[in-house]
Amino acid sequence: MAEKHKVKIHSVSKISPPSSDSVTASTLPLTYFDTLWLKFPPSERLFFYQITDLTFDLFNSVIIPKLADSLSLTLLHYLPLAGHIMWPADSAKPAIYYFPDQNDGVSFTVAESDADFSHLSGNNGNREAVEFHHLTPQLSISDDKAEVVAIQITLFPKQGFCISVLTHHALIPCFDRTLIKDRKGLDVVYANHWLAFQSHKRSLKLVSMPVLKAHSSVVRKSFELTREDMKKLRDKVQGNEVLIRKAKELHLSSYVLTCAYVYVCLVKAMGVEGDAPVMLRVGANCRSRLDPPLPVNYFGNCVSGHGTPAKVSDVVDPENGIAFVADKLSDLVKGLKREVIEGSEEKILNLLKYVKEGGGQAPGRLLGVAGSNRFDVYGSDFGWGKPKTVEIILDRVGSIYLVESRNGGGAVEVGVVLEKPQMEAFSSLFVNGLN
């Protein structure tokens, strides 16, 4: 079990936009892409920056003021991020409200940790999932209102610092609400189902999901698929005799190939029974698939998840498993038409079923990934160079996340969360399967 690290909180403040006559109260409605995820836990990224001679004085007098000033200036252009999600009694759905006269702003925590920076930011071994918890801020969420963003900057003396960004799952930084056409009124349909789910109480508190205890044996580890590995996987799938006989044209992007390979390794490592059903899922960027399509600089909630059932025996088949999963995922991606991704009442019903089951089916039965290898997270240079490591914080056993590799070259970095024995099995399968 990892040593319990001490963290010292130096300050907690609110960062607001600079005072200006142009800064006025504003309201931003949620779309159906947002209300679907209204009560799900927030998403969080950690950015680790290595500075081996970093002292508290330098951290406190240079780095913190620059980050705080930059955040304040940025909020001037994205005012709703400084506000709160609220659900007034006379409104059919929640919205983001910003009130400059009510001290609205982004929660900004400055902390100091005695943890081993190299261990937390490395990718050469297991790291207990709970080791990252002291680096994360808290979103203030009550029945009446919910913060949109919270940030924590943590110093590791003589090692570096970490930026943790916690965002509400209904975060929507693009402000032109007319861009998304809601022909079925799904924004309100989804809101009504959340209302019914909580006995018609207009509470913004998040749903309860399983959390890790301090003594948990759950670990996280990062793996990499290089461009050469992708070629091996693509050749393996395209050379599969079953698929050759089908004479199908496959969509074999790096995302599909990565998911197919990782899903097979994960199901094998977790020892899921051969006759059990699994759900293979992909996340789709909906911007170009909507009618009309959204601009490429739209970066709010515009992602839709889609799945297809399969048998474990097909997934873990020694000869055909990877090709089988790649074929299934290829069909999912190619089938993402406007009428599929624009949502339906069935989608919120399935999501609520997932919540009622305590966060989903048994571990290893619902296979999906967070993140993407196209977000350029390693391009986040705030003046101290690119981050050494970027982590997406997920604690659930069987969680998978993707980012582009810190080493570049078209490689993909894969993060996995498993019990320690499962991680040993996964590591062996992942490495040996590429040889």
Side-chain angles (χ1 to χ4, degrees):
M1 179 176 174
E3 178 184 354
K4 187 175 181 180
H5 302 298
K6 295 180 181 178
V7 60
K8 180 179 181 180
I9 303 298
H10 289 290
S11 65
V12 179
S13 60
K14 288 277 190 180
I15 303 296
S16 302
S19 298
S20 170
D21 292 340
S22 64
V23 177
T24 58
S26 63
T27 303
L28 188 66
L30 303 184
T31 73
Y32 64 87
F33 282 111
D34 311 311
T35 55
L36 180 66
W37 303 105
L38 178 66
K39 295 175 70 62
F40 261 60
S43 59
E44 179 179 9
R45 276 193 172 87
L46 298 179
F47 299 80
F48 289 87
Y49 294 87
Q50 186 169 27
I51 305 177
T52 55
D53 59 348
L54 183 59
T55 63
F56 175 78
D57 287 342
L58 178 63
F59 175 72
N60 194 50
S61 64
V62 177
I63 290 178
I64 292 301
K66 285 188 176 181
L67 290 175
D69 288 346
S70 295
L71 176 58
S72 177
L73 292 171
T74 300
L75 290 174
L76 189 61
H77 303 282
Y78 299 95
L79 290 176
L81 301 187
H84 292 82
I85 298 174
M86 301 173 69
W87 197 346
D90 59 353
S91 176
K93 63 175 183 177
I96 297 181
Y97 296 84
Y98 172 70
F99 301 109
D101 59 347
Q102 296 185 17
N103 195 35
D104 276 356
V106 172
S107 176
F108 190 82
T109 301
V110 178
E112 184 175 344
S113 171
D114 66 352
D116 185 343
F117 179 92
S118 297
H119 169 67
L120 293 178
S121 62
N123 65 340
N124 295 321
N126 292 343
R127 296 156 297 161
E128 290 192 13
V130 294
E131 294 183 84
F132 294 84
H133 289 184
H134 73 294
L135 304 177
T136 65
Q138 296 293 319
L139 279 180
S140 175
I141 299 177
S142 66
D143 288 328
D144 300 322
K145 63 181 182 179
E147 283 185 331
V148 179
V149 179
I151 293 174
Q152 178 172 319
I153 317 295
T154 304
L155 167 69
F156 298 81
K158 300 293 186 179
Q159 300 177 82
F161 68 97
C162 170
I163 300 176
S164 174
V165 182
L166 195 66
T167 57
H168 196 286
H169 225 115
L171 174 66
I172 45 173
C174 184
F175 304 147
D176 188 352
R177 315 315 303 139
T178 65
L179 292 174
I180 295 181
K181 306 300 181 184
D182 188 358
R183 298 170 177 84
K184 304 174 185 176
L186 292 174
D187 53 352
V188 176
V189 171
Y190 292 168
N192 286 339
H193 275 289
W194 280 119
L195 199 60
F197 179 76
Q198 52 203 17
S199 302
H200 297 279
K201 180 182 180 182
R202 290 173 179 260
S203 173
L204 292 170
K205 288 184 177 179
L206 306 179
V207 293
S208 177
M209 302 288 276
V211 295
L212 291 178
K213 297 181 180 179
H215 62 272
S216 174
S217 64
V218 176
V219 296
R220 57 193 297 127
K221 188 174 182 179
S222 297
F223 302 84
E224 184 179 76
L225 287 173
T226 65
R227 190 184 296 272
E228 292 72 24
D229 295 331
M230 291 294 181
K231 184 178 185 306
K232 289 180 184 178
L233 293 173
R234 185 174 284 105
D235 290 344
K236 183 179 181 68
V237 172
Q238 291 177 332
N240 181 264
E241 292 184 2
V242 175
L243 295 185
I244 290 175
R245 288 196 296 270
K246 287 185 177 181
K248 291 178 62 177
E249 182 179 346
L250 299 175
H251 178 88
L252 297 179
S253 63
S254 58
Y255 177 86
V256 167
L257 290 169
T258 299
C259 290
Y261 186 62
V262 173
Y263 287 176
V264 170
C265 292
L266 189 76
V267 173
K268 289 181 178 179
M270 299 187 74
V272 185
E273 295 297 326
D275 292 333
V278 293
M279 183 65 72
L280 309 172
R281 292 181 62 81
V282 297
N285 177 357
C286 301
R287 290 178 298 182
S288 64
R289 296 181 169 100
L290 293 176
D291 181 21
L294 299 182
V296 294
N297 62 348
Y298 184 99
F299 60 101
N301 277 329
C302 196
V303 175
S304 182
H306 302 274
T308 184
K311 292 182 179 179
V312 167
S313 55
D314 290 325
V315 174
V316 301
D317 184 284
E319 296 297 325
N320 303 310
I322 296 173
F324 170 82
V325 177
D327 183 27
K328 285 277 192 178
L329 299 182
S330 171
D331 285 346
L332 273 179
V333 174
K334 291 195 296 182
L336 293 174
K337 309 298 183 184
R338 176 180 64 81
E339 60 272 13
V340 175
I341 63 175
E342 282 195 345
S344 66
E345 189 167 11
E346 181 183 7
K347 187 167 290 188
I348 185 67
L349 293 174
N350 288 337
L351 197 65
L352 292 175
K353 179 182 177 183
Y354 172 87
V355 173
K356 290 175 182 177
E357 291 174 347
Q361 306 169 38
R365 302 287 181 84
L366 180 64
L367 300 170
V369 299
S372 169
N373 56 312
R374 296 188 177 185
F375 285 166
D376 191 28
V377 292
Y378 281 99
S380 303
D381 185 344
F382 298 104
W384 297 277
K386 294 183 178 182
K388 178 186 177 184
T389 303
V390 178
E391 296 278 354
I392 297 177
I393 298 302
L394 299 167
D395 290 341
R396 180 177 170 79
V397 170
S399 295
I400 307 165
Y401 60 90
L402 305 182
V403 297
E404 76 276 12
S405 171
R406 69 191 79 181
N407 299 317
V412 178
E413 198 170 300
V414 182
V416 182
V417 180
L418 290 169
E419 297 278 354
K420 286 180 181 177
Q422 298 168 342
M423 187 65 81
E424 291 178 7
F426 181 91
S427 298
S428 177
L429 290 163
F430 188 94
V431 173
N432 294 331
L434 295 171
N435 294 331

